[in-house]
Coordinates of all heavy atoms in Angstrom, one line a residue:
L12 N -11.7 11.8 -5.1 CA -10.3 11.6 -5.4 C -9.5 12.6 -4.5 O -8.4 12.2 -3.9 CB -10.0 11.9 -6.8 CG -8.5 11.9 -7.2 CD1 -8.0 10.5 -7.0 CD2 -8.3 12.3 -8.6
M13 N -10.0 13.8 -4.2 CA -9.2 14.7 -3.4 C -9.2 14.3 -2.0 O -8.3 14.6 -1.2 CB -9.9 16.1 -3.5 CG -9.7 16.8 -4.9 SD -8.0 16.8 -5.5 CE -7.3 17.9 -4.3
G14 N -10.2 13.5 -1.5 CA -10.2 12.9 -0.2 C -9.0 11.9 -0.1 O -8.3 11.9 1.0
M15 N -8.8 11.1 -1.1 CA -7.7 10.2 -1.1 C -6.3 11.0 -1.1 O -5.4 10.6 -0.5 CB -7.8 9.2 -2.2 CG -8.9 8.3 -2.1 SD -8.8 7.4 -0.5 CE -9.8 6.1 -0.9
V16 N -6.3 12.0 -1.9 CA -5.0 12.8 -2.0 C -4.8 13.5 -0.6 O -3.6 13.5 -0.2 CB -5.2 13.9 -3.1 CG1 -4.1 14.9 -3.0 CG2 -5.2 13.3 -4.4
R17 N -5.8 14.0 0.0 CA -5.7 14.6 1.3 C -5.1 13.6 2.4 O -4.2 13.9 3.1 CB -7.0 15.2 1.8 CG -7.0 15.9 3.0 CD -8.4 16.5 3.4 NE -9.4 15.4 3.5 CZ -10.5 15.3 2.7 NH1 -10.7 16.1 1.8 NH2 -11.4 14.4 3.0
L18 N -5.7 12.4 2.4 CA -5.3 11.4 3.4 C -3.9 10.9 3.0 O -3.1 10.6 3.9 CB -6.3 10.3 3.5 CG -7.6 10.7 4.0 CD1 -8.6 9.5 4.0 CD2 -7.5 11.2 5.5
G19 N -3.6 10.7 1.7 CA -2.3 10.3 1.3 C -1.2 11.3 1.7 O -0.1 10.9 2.1
L20 N -1.5 12.6 1.6 CA -0.5 13.6 1.9 C -0.2 13.5 3.4 O 1.0 13.5 3.8 CB -1.0 15.0 1.6 CG -0.2 16.2 2.0 CD1 1.0 16.3 1.2 CD2 -1.0 17.4 2.0
V21 N -1.2 13.4 4.2 CA -1.0 13.4 5.7 C -0.3 12.1 6.0 O 0.7 12.1 6.8 CB -2.3 13.5 6.4 CG1 -2.2 13.3 7.9 CG2 -2.9 14.9 6.2
A22 N -0.7 11.0 5.4 CA 0.0 9.7 5.8 C 1.4 9.7 5.3 O 2.3 9.2 6.1 CB -0.8 8.6 5.0
A23 N 1.7 10.3 4.2 CA 3.1 10.3 3.7 C 4.0 11.1 4.7 O 5.1 10.7 5.0 CB 3.2 10.9 2.3
V24 N 3.5 12.2 5.1 CA 4.3 13.1 6.1 C 4.5 12.3 7.4 O 5.6 12.3 8.0 CB 3.6 14.4 6.3 CG1 4.3 15.2 7.5 CG2 3.7 15.3 5.0
L25 N 3.4 11.8 7.9 CA 3.5 11.1 9.2 C 4.4 9.8 9.2 O 5.1 9.5 10.1 CB 2.2 10.8 9.8 CG 1.3 12.1 10.2 CD1 -0.1 11.6 10.7 CD2 2.1 12.9 11.2
V26 N 4.2 9.0 8.1 CA 5.1 7.8 8.0 C 6.5 8.2 7.8 O 7.4 7.6 8.4 CB 4.5 6.9 6.8 CG1 5.5 5.9 6.5 CG2 3.2 6.3 7.2
A27 N 6.8 9.2 6.9 CA 8.2 9.6 6.7 C 8.8 10.1 8.1 O 10.0 9.8 8.4 CB 8.3 10.7 5.7
S28 N 8.0 10.9 8.8 CA 8.6 11.4 10.1 C 8.8 10.3 11.1 O 9.7 10.3 11.9 CB 7.6 12.5 10.6 OG 6.4 11.9 11.0
A29 N 7.9 9.2 11.0 CA 8.1 8.1 11.9 C 9.4 7.3 11.6 O 10.1 6.8 12.5 CB 6.9 7.2 11.9
V30 N 9.6 7.2 10.3 CA 10.8 6.5 9.8 C 12.1 7.2 10.3 O 13.0 6.6 10.8 CB 10.8 6.3 8.3 CG1 12.2 5.9 7.8 CG2 9.8 5.4 7.9
F31 N 12.1 8.5 10.3 CA 13.2 9.3 10.7 C 13.2 9.6 12.2 O 14.0 10.4 12.7 CB 13.3 10.6 9.9 CG 13.7 10.3 8.5 CD1 12.8 10.4 7.5 CD2 15.1 10.0 8.2 CE1 13.2 10.1 6.2 CE2 15.5 9.8 6.9 CZ 14.5 9.8 5.9
G32 N 12.2 9.2 13.0 CA 12.2 9.3 14.4 C 11.6 10.6 15.0 O 11.9 10.9 16.1
N33 N 10.8 11.3 14.2 CA 10.3 12.5 14.7 C 8.8 12.6 14.5 O 8.2 13.6 14.1 CB 10.9 13.8 14.0 CG 12.3 14.1 14.5 OD1 12.5 14.0 15.7 ND2 13.2 14.3 13.6
I34 N 8.1 11.5 14.9 CA 6.6 11.4 14.7 C 5.9 12.4 15.6 O 4.9 13.0 15.2 CB 6.1 10.0 14.9 CG1 4.7 9.9 14.6 CG2 6.4 9.5 16.3 CD1 4.3 9.9 13.2
I35 N 6.4 12.6 16.8 CA 5.7 13.6 17.7 C 5.7 15.0 17.2 O 4.7 15.6 17.2 CB 6.4 13.5 19.1 CG1 6.4 12.1 19.7 CG2 5.8 14.5 20.1 CD1 5.0 11.6 20.0
A36 N 6.9 15.4 16.6 CA 6.9 16.8 16.1 C 6.0 17.0 14.9 O 5.2 17.9 14.8 CB 8.3 17.1 15.7
A37 N 5.9 16.0 14.0 CA 5.1 16.1 12.8 C 3.6 16.0 13.2 O 2.8 16.7 12.7 CB 5.5 15.0 11.9
A38 N 3.3 15.1 14.2 CA 1.9 15.0 14.6 C 1.4 16.2 15.3 O 0.3 16.7 15.1 CB 1.7 13.8 15.5
V39 N 2.2 16.8 16.1 CA 1.8 18.1 16.8 C 1.7 19.2 15.8 O 0.7 20.0 15.8 CB 2.9 18.5 17.9 CG1 2.7 19.9 18.3 CG2 2.8 17.5 19.0

């Protein structure tokens, strides 16, 4: 379950940053 939480956290941050146009900064 913690593996899913871990991946969900990262995915949420990266998707939200992509929606707002700052995917590069969040990925770095």
Side-chain angles (χ1 to χ4, degrees):
L12 178 64
M13 292 309 291
M15 293 302 200
V16 169
R17 182 177 64 240
L18 294 177
L20 173 75
V21 172
V24 169
L25 292 178
V26 167
S28 68
V30 168
F31 290 104
N33 284 317
I34 186 72
I35 300 297
V39 167

